[in-house]
Every structure is written in C-alpha cells, then in structure tokens.
Amino acid sequence: MYLEKSTIESILETIDTLQVKQNEVVLILLSELDLPDMDLLIQQLNDKKVAFFGGVFPGLIIGNQMFSTGCILKKFKAIVMPFCLSGIGQVQVSDFPDYKTPEEFRNGTALVLLDGLAPNIYAFLGKLNELLGGECGFIGGGAGFMSLQPQKCVFCEEGFKQNAAVVCIIEKKVNLGIRHGWEHFAGPMVATQVEDNTIKQLNWRNAIDVYNEIVSVDCGTTLNQDNFGKIAQGYPFGILRENEDDIVRDPIALNGDGSIECIGEVPPNTVLHVLKGRPAALLEATKQAMRDCGSSESQPINASETLIVDCITRALFLENQFIEEMNIIRNSLQISSPDQEPYGVLSLGEISSYGDGMLELFNKTIVVGTFN
Amino acid sequence: MPFRIKIIQDISLLYELSLSVGSSLDPRVNCQNFLNTITRRKSLNFSSIWLNKIPEKEVDGYELFEVCPNFRKSNICLSNHHFILKQLEKNPYFNISHHDPNFKELVQEKKVTSGSYAIFKLGNIGFLKLFANNRENGFSDIEMAQLKQVVDKLNISLDGCFAHIQLKEETQQRLEAQQAIKESEEKYRGALENMELGLLEVNPDGHIIRANNAICQMLGYQADELVGKQERSLYRIPEDSENVLTNWTYANTPGRHHSYELQFNHKNGAPVWVLMSRAPVINPHGQNTGSFGIYFDITARKTLEQELSDAKMVAERARLAERQFITHMSHEIRTPINAVIGMTHLLSTTKLDETQKDYLNSLDFSAKSLLGIIDNILDLSKIDAGVIEFEQQPFDLDYFQKNLVRSFKFKSEEKNLLLYGESDPDIDHIVVGDPIRLNQILTNLLANALKFTENGEVSLHVKLLSKSAGKYLIQFRVHDTGIGIPEDKLDTIFEYFKQADPQISRKFGGTGLGLTIVKQLVEMQGGTIHIESEEGKGSDFIFELSFGDSGIPVESRHEHAGLEYQTADNRIAGSHVMIVEDNLLNQKLLCKTLEGWDCTYAVAHNSAEAINLSKQQQFDIILMDIHMPDQDGFETTGIIRNDTQNINKTTPIIALTAAAMADEKRKALEAGMNSFLTKPISPNSLLDHLCQYIKPSENAKKAPQFCKPLDFTSNEPDLSYLKKISNGDPEFILGILNDFKKEADQAVAELERYAQEGDLEKTFALLHKLQPNFAMLGLNTLCENSKTLQKILMQDDNSLEILQVCINKMAINLQRASRLVSDKIDLCQ
C-alpha cells in the first residue's frame, strides 16, 4: 500500500488497518524526500508492538510510476522476524541470530535491505549466504540517498541505522529475473589494483587515464571530478562472467588520485569491460528478466505480489523511457487487483542471486521478484 | 565472439585465477579466493574444495574444506573409496553431467538434479569440485584443460600453505620451547642471584666464570674480582685443594656430586667455613664443561661446634677428675674400714668377755653402716656418671630368692616378724640377668620393709608376668605390714635424700639414698617401679624387670635351697696362695682367713717381691692388690703373664682393690687378671673366687652359673643306710667304703679322660652306673648332681665346651667325695 505522505500518523493508521498478526511483519519502504521523524516513528511502531523493517531509497515504484515521496507498506508472514546487523564490513557468522536450519527457509525469501554505500558488502553477502545457505531466494537492494552521502538509511525495531543491514525471511517463494542490458563498449581490461569499491589501476595504469581514453573519445569530453558522475553513469564497468551477463559496477566518483569509486566491490585482477547502454537494449533486458520470472508472450505471470528493485542510475539513464520498463513488467503480469500492482524501490545497488548461486550486489540492473 | 576477444578472456581467466591463489599463506583464505573467483568468472552455481588433511584436525577420508557460495557446513566427509576418488585415480580430472548415471554420486553439497560437475585432483591432498546448471553439455575439454593448469597452481599453493603451517607450528613450538628455556633460565638466574646460598661456576681448569651475590658477600669480593680467579686460590688450607680435587675427579661424572666442609679466606683475611656441594656440568655430547658449586656459610655453626667441643673437653676433664676423686676416696675410705671390719672379725674369734663383745658388736655395726653409706654414695656417683654396668649371667631365680630371704631371717626373728618368700613355678628356666644388682635392689627393699615394720610380716613375691621371644618379664613385690607411706609422699619417696617424714630419719636412721638407688637401678635395666601403700597398714614396692631365658631348666630346686655357702673345708684346703698387699692390716686379715681354710700362703709386700715369689713358688692362685707404691697390680700382672719362664704364668690372679669403679675391673681383666674383688673383702666372696679359680681347667671361668650345683656340694657320706642294711657290721661297711674309694678314684680318671675326648655317651653310662653307689653312701648331693648332669648330657642344645667343664667339675666333686670317704675309712679303721 502506497501512502503519498510519509507522516507518522498516516503510517500508524495504515498499519492499524493491516491488522498485523504476531507472526507477521510490515515492510516499510520510504522515499528520501519528506521523511518523518524516524526515531519517533520507530518508537511509536515499537509501542504498537508491531514487527517492522524498512529502508530509505531515492525513489519508489508503484505500478509503472516512480515516486520521490511517500512510502509503501506491505505485510508479510515471517519465517524469521527482522534482524539487524550493524557494521556490515565486520559482520561474522557468529553475529547472526541463531535461527532455524537453512532447510526451513526453503519455502521462503530473504528480503535484504542494506546501506548501499557501506564498504565490504560483498563479504557481508557471503556471510549471509553462509548463514542462510542457498535454500531460499534473495531479493533486496541498497538503501540510501541520491546525494550518495553515507547516512542512516535502514531501520527496524532497534533503530535507524547507517552501515547496517536488516534482513527478514518471509513465507513466500520468489521467482527472480535479474538483467541489465548494458553492452560491452571497450575492453577487456584488467583491474590490476583495486581496494574494495575503488579501482586504482586498470591494465597497470592509473584507472582514470585508461577510463578517460575510452570514454572521452565517445562522449567528446574529458572527465574530471566535476563532470565524472554525470558522464560516467553512461559508461559503467562490467565484471566478466562466462555464459552470463556481466556484473555491472557503477562508477560514481573520481578521486583526486585518479582512482574511480564504484557502488559495490570490484574483485582484484578481475577482467572488466567498459559498458555502454542503449535504452532499447536495457528494455530488452527487462523483458528477459520477466521471462526469467516465468512470463511468456502468451502467458503473463499470475503473481500475488511483484517486487522491483531497480537501480536509480538505470532509471536516470532511461529517463522518460523508465515508464516503458515499468510497463514491460506490468504487462507481463496478470493484475486483477490493486495488491497485484508491482511495487519497489530505486536503489543504490540491487541484491539477488542467480538461482541458488552466489548472492551478489548488482548495479544498473533490474531485479524483479514475483511471489506466488 | 571474436576469437581475439575469446583468447583474451581465456587468458584473463587464467590470469585472474592464478592471482587468486598464493595471495595468502592461510589455506582457507587461499581456497576462498580461488573458489570466489572461479565461481564468479565461470558463472558456477557452486564450487568446493575437499581435503584429506586439514590444519589442527584429524580427517578420516576427505572432508569438505571450503565451498562457494558459502553455507554452514559441518563434517561432510567422503571415504577414501568414494566414486570420485576412484575416478581420480584414473584421471586427474573429469566431468559428469546429469545425463550420466553416476551424477548422483557427486551430489553432496547441495541437492541438485540437473547440471554438470567438473572434478579436479589436487595432488595428494584432495580435489576441486565445480557445479554449473547452465551448461547443457557439461564442461568442455578445452575448459577442463585450461582449468587443470590453474588447479595445479592451487595445489602447489595449498602445499605451500600446509608446509608453511607446519613450519609455523614447528617454529612456534621452538619459540615456545626457547621462551620456556629463557623463562626457566630467568627464574633460576633470579633464584640463584637472590638466594642466600653462594654459587660459583668454574670451567674445567677451575677458573671461576660466574659468581652470584651471595658468594660475593660471603667472601667480601665483587663478582668481577672473583671471575677469572682459581677457585682453589680462595681456600684457606692448601691441603683442601688436594682433597677436593681427588674427590672431584672421582665424582666428576653425570649424576654424581660431592660435598665438603672447608675453609675459604675472606678478602679481609678472616676464615669463612662453608659447606660446599658441587656437581659437574656435562654438555649434550657428554663433555665436562665445568662445574657448579653451591656454598653455605657455616662459620657460625663451626664456631658454635668449636665452643661446644671446648666445653665438652672441659666437662670431660671435670668428669674424669670427679671419677678419679671418687676412686681415691673409695680407696682411702674403704681401706681403713676394711681393716676395721676385718680386725673386728678377727677380734671376735678371740676370747672376749660380754662387755667386750657388746663393744665389738657396736664397732662392727658402725663400721658396716659407714661402709653401707659409702657404698650408696659410690653407687649414686656411678649412676650419675653413667658408668654403672650390668652383668648378663645365668642364675636360678628361685635359689636366689630363697638365699636372699634367708639372709634376712635373723633380723626378722629379732623383731618377731614373719618373713617368707614366694617363687613362681612357671619360671622354669635359669634366667639371664644381673643377680648382683637384683640383690642390691631387693636387699634395699627388704631391709627397708623390716626397718619400718614392727608387727606382722614381710614377704618377697616373684611372679612371671609374661614369657616371649626368649624373655621373661618378672614382677617382684616386697610386701610389708609396716607404717606405710602417706599418699602425698608417694611421688617423692624415690627422690634423693627424701623420706616420707623427717622424723623417720631421726627414728629409723638412713640416708634417704636407698630408694633412689633402687629406682635408678630398676630403670637403668629398662624396668619400672611403683609403690602401693596405705598409711598405717603397710606398703608394697613393686617393680618389673625383663630377664633373658637361658633355655636351661631349673632342676631340684628344693635341693639347692640348702646349698648355703659353707666353709671351704677340704675343697680348697691345702691350696697355696700368694697375697700381694702393701697394707699390713689387710695382709693380716687375708692371712688369717686363709689359715682358717687350711690354705698355705706367701706374702709379697710390693710388686718386686711378688714377681720374685712368682718365679720361685708354684701358687694355686694369686691375690693381687692394685694400688701399690711402686708398680701397681696391673703392671705386676703383665710382667708375670708375659714372662714365658715364669712358673705362675697361667696361675689365676684375682685383683683386690678398694676402687669400686667399673673401669678398674675392665683394666684388671685387660691386664690379664682373672677376676676382681672389691675391698672390704667378704669371706664368702673370697671363698667363692678361690673355689672357682683353684685347680679348675682353663675353661672353668667360662662355665655358666647353672653348673654351680655341681661345685662345692659334696656332703659328708651318710653311712646310716649301710649301717641299717648291715646291722652296723663295721667290716661290711669298711669293705663297701674301700670298694667305693677304689671305684671313685678310677671313675675320676675316666671322667677326666671322657671330658678331654668329649665322649658324652661313656660319661653318661659311667654316671648312671655310679649313681646307686652315691645313694648307698648317703652322698645325696653328689647323687642329685649326677642325675642333673645326665639330663644335661641328653640335651642337644649345650655346647661341648660347657659340657666338658661340667664333667670336669663332676670329676673334682667325685674326687672330693673320695677323699671324704677316705676320711671315713680312716675313722672306721
């Protein structure tokens, strides 16, 4: 349920109408504009003794619309109630609550919301995978703000947190479609020196020098710290995988030493390509994502719910065509009630796994999860 | 995809995989990096590494070591005979798709139904397993070959990791061991530096290489002054160096150590006594690299020892002086008393009127009382000086008791008191102990009992308490119905000079030393004494003593009771005695006494006369005074004994002295004398000695006390039996007596021969044959002695030597009986 205004009152009233039971949890997705007093909201939600978790995102999706205000409230039956893990980079398996065995999560889906600008997300996802195994589906995204300034962005009954993750396993099985549609523009090249999210060298040279040689020719402008964010969003990096789409890494800033900051980690010595997007290719990828979820020309998906985690930079890149991407999704679904309208967030990084493979943080990717 | 791009991608894959290994020496991190990379690059669903050795863990078979994506795994193992391992024995790598019937053999990490596995052998340590569900036709041959190259690198890297871990563990263990050694060294260094014991470490040449604080303080040097010095140069006495070196050479082996007490020189020249203990330092090659010495300053102890030694020497001198004083006092007092008593005795044999007899009795009583007091004082002195000695000789306790009691008969009859003694028939063996001291104890107690009893009785009870392991524990009880002792005085009655009441001393006399001596004598023999008394009703003095069991049965006890010492008459009559005595009164006393026993004698007034006489006349015995003005009795005896030409070389010599000290007796025996008599000499003691030493064999003095019944027991022949059966026919009687005399003389010769030959059977047979004759002539004692000797001969546990003595004595007795019979023959004719 989408609320145009994220007031505490409206949120609480709506939750009242949801009649949340003891084994149920409320997912609260907030848009970064007109945020309520989060501490007060959490306190009052705790007073209501309602299980909840959520995050703040640059934008929200309802149907084929994108919203920069308001909030979405969704009620789920929980297998594991939300838990919070602070200090993402330092989390160990022993820090996780000792829940049930992975086999019991087989019919569930882990909803993962984390600080999209936190370091060491890859390691955290590895630990999460170790805890929950490959038994359940994963879908989630990086919370945060358009300013790309690290700040509190995820919450649960423990409070409003930065550099943290909230996880809840709901009793719904998900079908996933993960695609981006970005194409190789230049490469391959080797990330010969990286440090977490920062590419310092490409092919044993200063990263920006190599990147500039590729991008400036195409866009006609030499990149610097001022124009880097705007230009680089059209030229992301792709981490090569055989027989699968590259994993996209969004370059978001140029550091003074010529190193390039990305959303999500880049493995050292990995093979990268500079990617370039074409709206048509991106939209085609969205169609493929929906096919991955089970749709076909003749048979739209009859899902009780559809959750979309779409990258904010992908949305920005598509500009006006973003609505077409949403329509592709919507048109792939059988929607017979408002509850079946797809909803989601515009994220700083998308979280999912390919089937029962590795849990990954993607960039510039659309992740669609349809729940039966 | 353009071929060029494909090649670049392949190479970059190998490049990335190659760089993913070897970046860490932790095998787990190495595996994680490799699996993450290959899983991502090859778009795998999962990958895993299985190993047969895992750090800090025992593995049976192959265990899942790392998996990507990671999940909670616990002890997933494959046996050594698993399908995968069997396949790997044939090929270092293989792949299987879900079309292969063996596909299910590979499903371990996750339940999958479709896809393809690729397996690579990791040398001897395990294998790599890859799974992808996006490869319809499995992993290609090229792909497998490419990966094999990198997997080999992973294998090498893991080998390196494990080698590193092993090296690290060994290094850690070595470091820990080194640390432990270091800590141990620090601990001992600290202990050695701070302990009060000095320490010197020297090299094999004896040069000091280490000195701790304590030794520096002990000797007054700084450590750097001592280091480099020869340890021996510090010794105060150079000879110590030789002794230490000798011992050190002997002890210079591992596990051996030696300790010495020696003196060092303090830097200021003062002596420092140390107790040194030293042990060698042996290196692992068994070589001596020097030694450690520990030094304990014993200067204070040595000083104290010296002081104690000096004090002891002073005390010894004082004690010696005291004993010499007692010896001289004893001599000086006893000699005149001896003369007084002796002369009194001689005077009493002359014709005296009644008044003179009374005076003489008073004189005799006073002299004997004075002698008693002196004896007591001397006894106490001996007890205090610890020089009293206790004999261990066999004696018949019943016989002893009866004699003792009889000796008090006269006194008891004077006071009209009932006096009797009781023996315990269970004491059926001759006991071994000191009859003289026992006599002294009981005499004291009986004398006291008679002294303090006016009415009723005095008795001596001898009772066996226990008998075990060759020991008799015997209780003696002296009972009286006298004045008794108040209860509050019982504890002090045995103290010096204590009597129950001061008035007692005035009324009854006495010094109060008697009971003190009694208690000391009992306790010094390991016994206990106590009193049971009720004032006005009487007292019981009870003491217990332990005696040895000689194993010799007591026979004919009732017969012995009559064997009081009697006059020597014909037993030593005719013996020739030399008296060596410088005191004229004593000479007279001895001469008169010997005359009374029909002995002849010659008197020597000093040592020179004695030696001359000994060369001229054959004596049966020599009575030798010890204290003479020129040469004393010890020296005189030595000269006689050492002169091979002297005809009295082997003649028994009896020492006569007023000195009652035990060491005098020892010296007398050492000088070659046979026995010892203390002045004043009682006629009984003298007779006893004369009878014992005149004409006996060399073994006589070794004869045990139990043979006493065989000595001196010849009784007069009683012819009443012969007269009765012959109606007084003198011819018959004379004939029998002549026959007996003839037979007895012959038997004496045979007994002497049998004794010499040790022929016990013939001795027994002869005695058995003679025995009726002894009875016929009324020689009852000889008859009983014959029976006793026959029984002794039948026992197995008597030494031949003792039996030979007994047989000889029997022969002597028989010879005496023969002489008595001869006297009778003379009378009859």
Side-chain angles (χ1 to χ4, degrees), chain B residues 477 490 530-534 538-542:
Chain B
R477 179 188 290 263
L490 287 176
H530 71 281
I531 309 166
E532 294 171 2
S533 181
E534 194 173 343
S539 306
D540 281 52
F541 283 75
I542 304 152

mmCIF file of all heavy atoms in Angstrom, chain B residues 477 490 530-534 538-542:
data_model
loop_
_atom_site.group_PDB
_atom_site.id
_atom_site.type_symbol
_atom_site.label_atom_id
_atom_site.label_comp_id
_atom_site.label_asym_id
_atom_site.label_seq_id
_atom_site.Cartn_x
_atom_site.Cartn_y
_atom_site.Cartn_z
ATOM 1 N N ARG B 477 57.640 -58.187 94.142
ATOM 2 C CA ARG B 477 56.817 -57.414 95.079
ATOM 3 C C ARG B 477 57.356 -57.637 96.497
ATOM 4 O O ARG B 477 57.420 -58.779 96.975
ATOM 5 C CB ARG B 477 55.363 -57.866 95.007
ATOM 6 C CG ARG B 477 54.433 -57.134 95.982
ATOM 7 C CD ARG B 477 53.072 -57.801 95.964
ATOM 8 N NE ARG B 477 52.381 -57.552 94.707
ATOM 9 C CZ ARG B 477 51.474 -56.601 94.529
ATOM 10 N NH1 ARG B 477 51.132 -55.813 95.533
ATOM 11 N NH2 ARG B 477 50.885 -56.471 93.380
ATOM 12 N N LEU B 490 54.047 -40.338 98.137
ATOM 13 C CA LEU B 490 54.382 -41.454 97.239
ATOM 14 C C LEU B 490 55.223 -41.009 96.045
ATOM 15 O O LEU B 490 56.088 -41.737 95.580
ATOM 16 C CB LEU B 490 53.101 -42.140 96.736
ATOM 17 C CG LEU B 490 52.366 -42.991 97.766
ATOM 18 C CD1 LEU B 490 51.066 -43.525 97.183
ATOM 19 C CD2 LEU B 490 53.250 -44.151 98.213
ATOM 20 N N HIS B 530 56.935 -49.004 91.242
ATOM 21 C CA HIS B 530 55.926 -48.138 91.865
ATOM 22 C C HIS B 530 55.580 -48.677 93.254
ATOM 23 O O HIS B 530 55.990 -49.790 93.621
ATOM 24 C CB HIS B 530 54.682 -48.041 90.989
ATOM 25 C CG HIS B 530 53.869 -49.288 90.937
ATOM 26 N ND1 HIS B 530 54.225 -50.369 90.149
ATOM 27 C CD2 HIS B 530 52.712 -49.644 91.574
ATOM 28 C CE1 HIS B 530 53.329 -51.331 90.299
ATOM 29 N NE2 HIS B 530 52.401 -50.924 91.163
ATOM 30 N N ILE B 531 54.842 -47.895 93.967
ATOM 31 C CA ILE B 531 54.518 -48.246 95.346
ATOM 32 C C ILE B 531 53.008 -48.274 95.503
ATOM 33 O O ILE B 531 52.304 -47.397 94.979
ATOM 34 C CB ILE B 531 55.065 -47.184 96.331
ATOM 35 C CG1 ILE B 531 56.548 -46.924 96.045
ATOM 36 C CG2 ILE B 531 54.870 -47.633 97.774
ATOM 37 C CD1 ILE B 531 57.063 -45.678 96.739
ATOM 38 N N GLU B 532 52.542 -49.259 96.207
ATOM 39 C CA GLU B 532 51.148 -49.280 96.645
ATOM 40 C C GLU B 532 51.203 -49.279 98.167
ATOM 41 O O GLU B 532 51.774 -50.188 98.775
ATOM 42 C CB GLU B 532 50.443 -50.522 96.122
ATOM 43 C CG GLU B 532 50.313 -50.522 94.597
ATOM 44 C CD GLU B 532 49.804 -51.857 94.064
ATOM 45 O OE1 GLU B 532 49.517 -52.756 94.886
ATOM 46 O OE2 GLU B 532 49.712 -52.003 92.835
ATOM 47 N N SER B 533 50.643 -48.279 98.743
ATOM 48 C CA SER B 533 50.810 -48.167 100.189
ATOM 49 C C SER B 533 49.606 -47.487 100.834
ATOM 50 O O SER B 533 48.932 -46.658 100.209
ATOM 51 C CB SER B 533 52.080 -47.352 100.492
ATOM 52 O OG SER B 533 52.266 -47.259 101.879
ATOM 53 N N GLU B 534 49.367 -47.849 102.055
ATOM 54 C CA GLU B 534 48.312 -47.212 102.852
ATOM 55 C C GLU B 534 48.902 -46.933 104.225
ATOM 56 O O GLU B 534 49.447 -47.851 104.872
ATOM 57 C CB GLU B 534 47.095 -48.138 102.967
ATOM 58 C CG GLU B 534 45.883 -47.404 103.469
ATOM 59 C CD GLU B 534 44.639 -48.294 103.401
ATOM 60 O OE1 GLU B 534 44.654 -49.322 102.679
ATOM 61 O OE2 GLU B 534 43.682 -47.960 104.088
ATOM 62 N N GLY B 538 50.685 -50.627 105.712
ATOM 63 C CA GLY B 538 51.796 -51.303 105.058
ATOM 64 C C GLY B 538 52.039 -50.802 103.647
ATOM 65 O O GLY B 538 51.329 -49.915 103.156
ATOM 66 N N SER B 539 53.055 -51.407 103.029
ATOM 67 C CA SER B 539 53.452 -50.965 101.684
ATOM 68 C C SER B 539 53.786 -52.164 100.813
ATOM 69 O O SER B 539 54.193 -53.213 101.311
ATOM 70 C CB SER B 539 54.692 -50.068 101.764
ATOM 71 O OG SER B 539 54.488 -49.003 102.655
ATOM 72 N N ASP B 540 53.618 -51.949 99.538
ATOM 73 C CA ASP B 540 54.084 -52.914 98.543
ATOM 74 C C ASP B 540 54.974 -52.165 97.564
ATOM 75 O O ASP B 540 54.518 -51.233 96.889
ATOM 76 C CB ASP B 540 52.906 -53.532 97.773
ATOM 77 C CG ASP B 540 52.242 -54.608 98.590
ATOM 78 O OD1 ASP B 540 51.886 -54.326 99.753
ATOM 79 O OD2 ASP B 540 52.087 -55.724 98.066
ATOM 80 N N PHE B 541 56.240 -52.544 97.488
ATOM 81 C CA PHE B 541 57.133 -51.984 96.472
ATOM 82 C C PHE B 541 57.165 -52.991 95.330
ATOM 83 O O PHE B 541 57.567 -54.134 95.509
ATOM 84 C CB PHE B 541 58.534 -51.765 97.041
ATOM 85 C CG PHE B 541 58.627 -50.543 97.910
ATOM 86 C CD1 PHE B 541 58.100 -50.542 99.197
ATOM 87 C CD2 PHE B 541 59.213 -49.382 97.436
ATOM 88 C CE1 PHE B 541 58.172 -49.402 99.999
ATOM 89 C CE2 PHE B 541 59.283 -48.251 98.230
ATOM 90 C CZ PHE B 541 58.755 -48.248 99.515
ATOM 91 N N ILE B 542 56.721 -52.523 94.187
ATOM 92 C CA ILE B 542 56.551 -53.457 93.068
ATOM 93 C C ILE B 542 57.396 -52.980 91.900
ATOM 94 O O ILE B 542 57.290 -51.815 91.493
ATOM 95 C CB ILE B 542 55.071 -53.512 92.631
ATOM 96 C CG1 ILE B 542 54.215 -53.878 93.852
ATOM 97 C CG2 ILE B 542 54.869 -54.492 91.493
ATOM 98 C CD1 ILE B 542 52.819 -53.346 93.775
#
